[in-house]
Amino acid sequence: MTTAFPSQMLHILPTRAELGALAGAQVAEELRRLLGTQPSVRMIFAAAPSQGEMLDALAAADGVDWTRVEAFHMDEYIGLREDAPQRFGNWLRRSFFERVPIGSLVLMEPGSDPQQDAVAYAALLAEKPVDIVCLGIGANGHLAFNDPPAEFSESLDAKVVELHRASRQQQVDDGLFATIDDVPTHAITLTIPRLLRAASLFCCVPGALKRDAVQRALTGDVAVDSPASILRKHPSCRLYLDADSAAGLE
C-alpha cells in the first residue's frame, strides 16, 4: 500500500528493539550536530512504553553533552498524587532523566489550577525555540493527549483536556493501570501546533496496538479524525515503525 509519508523519513524495522536502536542513534546524531553549532538544545519528550527502547539507546549514546540539554515533556495527568508511578514526569525520570546528566528539566506539575499551570508551562516553552520532539502515536491516532477530532489550528500551546475512553484504555493495555477506572479523566497536554513548531520530530510507533492508527495516518487524508496524519505536513519528521505497527501498510 502506498503511503503519503516521505519515504526517506519512514523507517520500518523488523523488531521493536531495532526500531529503538535506530531512533535513539538518530536522535543522538541530531543532538551532537546541534550541540556543535549552538550553546544548548531544547527537547520535548513523550512518556510511554512505546518510547522505552529509543530512550534506552539514547541514554547509552556516546558524545552527547547532556548538561547542555533543556528537557520538557508533553503531557501530564490531573489528579494523581505527586509520587504516583504512572505520572508521566515520574515515568520519564525513571526511564531516562535519572540516567543522564540532564542540564535542565522542567516538568508539568498540575496543582489546584491546572489551566493556569498549562498557561505557565506554555510560557516557559515559548522563551526559546524547541529543537527536537520525541513522540509517539496513540492507538486512536492521538498526538500527546490531543484526541480525535484534533485541533490543527489551536491558538493555545498547552491546555486542559478530557481524555477519550480509547486513550484511557490504552493506558490499561500498556500495563500502566489495572483498570480504566483507575486512569484519570483529565490531563494537561501540549497542543498539536506547539509540537509541530519544533525543528525536528522523531516519532517511535511500535506494536500491533498502533497498526490501525498508523495506517490511517499514512494512507488517508490529513484529517482531524486522525491527529497523527498532520505529521505528514512537518518538514522534518522521522517515523519509526516495527513489523507489527507497519503490518497494515502491506
Side-chain angles (χ1 to χ4, degrees):
M1 182 181 296
T2 302
T3 76
F5 203 83
S7 59
Q8 70 273 21
M9 305 297 279
L10 177 61
H11 306 279
I12 300 176
L13 289 305
T15 68
R16 186 175 181 135
E18 291 169 285
L19 178 161
L22 178 62
Q26 293 193 343
V27 174
E29 180 182 16
E30 180 67 2
L31 277 166
R32 290 189 292 265
R33 185 188 71 81
L34 291 170
L35 290 169
T37 61
Q38 59 193 55
S40 64
V41 169
R42 303 181 99 213
M43 297 182 67
I44 298 172
F45 290 85
S50 64
Q51 307 301 297
E53 290 80 6
M54 180 276 291
L55 292 174
D56 286 343
L58 187 55
D62 294 328
V64 176
D65 184 357
W66 288 106
T67 65
R68 295 161 57 199
V69 174
E70 303 173 37
F72 299 81
H73 68 138
M74 61 181 58
D75 44 20
E76 186 58 271
Y77 294 117
I78 295 170
L80 289 182
R81 67 180 192 275
E82 289 185 9
D83 63 347
Q86 298 96 337
R87 279 184 64 144
F88 292 136
N90 293 338
W91 187 93
L92 279 167
R93 282 193 181 98
R94 294 192 309 272
S95 300
F96 188 70
F97 294 134
E98 292 175 354
R99 302 165 64 185
V100 298
I102 199 78
S104 172
L105 175 60
V106 184
L107 298 177
M108 295 179 185
E109 301 289 350
S112 59
D113 189 345
Q115 187 56 61
Q116 183 55 43
D117 295 331
V119 171
Y121 200 79
L124 290 173
L125 269 175
E127 289 178 355
K128 291 186 290 185
V130 174
D131 300 291
I132 295 172
V133 174
C134 296
L135 72 163
I137 295 173
N140 67 346
H142 70 223
L143 298 178
F145 267 139
N146 296 283
D147 286 316
E151 291 284 348
F152 289 164
S153 57
E154 173 68 63
S155 61
L156 297 174
D157 283 355
K159 62 181 181 179
V160 173
V161 293
E162 183 174 2
L163 304 182
H164 285 202
R165 184 175 182 85
S167 286
R168 295 173 67 214
Q169 183 61 48
Q170 181 181 323
Q171 310 309 310
V172 178
D173 295 340
D174 280 343
L176 301 174
F177 292 88
T179 72
I180 195 169
D181 291 335
D182 297 324
V183 184
T185 59
H186 290 75
I188 295 174
T189 186
L190 299 184
T191 62
I192 287 176
R194 169 67 271 185
L195 296 173
L196 294 186
R197 289 207 304 275
S200 296
L201 309 182
F202 295 82
C203 187
C204 295
V205 195
L209 185 65
K210 309 295 180 67
R211 182 181 301 159
D212 291 344
V214 166
Q215 182 174 349
R216 291 195 304 273
L218 298 194
T219 64
D221 295 332
V222 174
V224 296
D225 62 352
S226 175
S229 64
I230 197 66
L231 295 176
R232 286 152 41 187
K233 298 294 187 179
H234 194 278
S236 181
C237 177
R238 306 185 200 186
L239 180 62
Y240 305 87
L241 309 176
D242 64 3
D244 289 332
S245 60
L249 303 176
E250 296 175 355

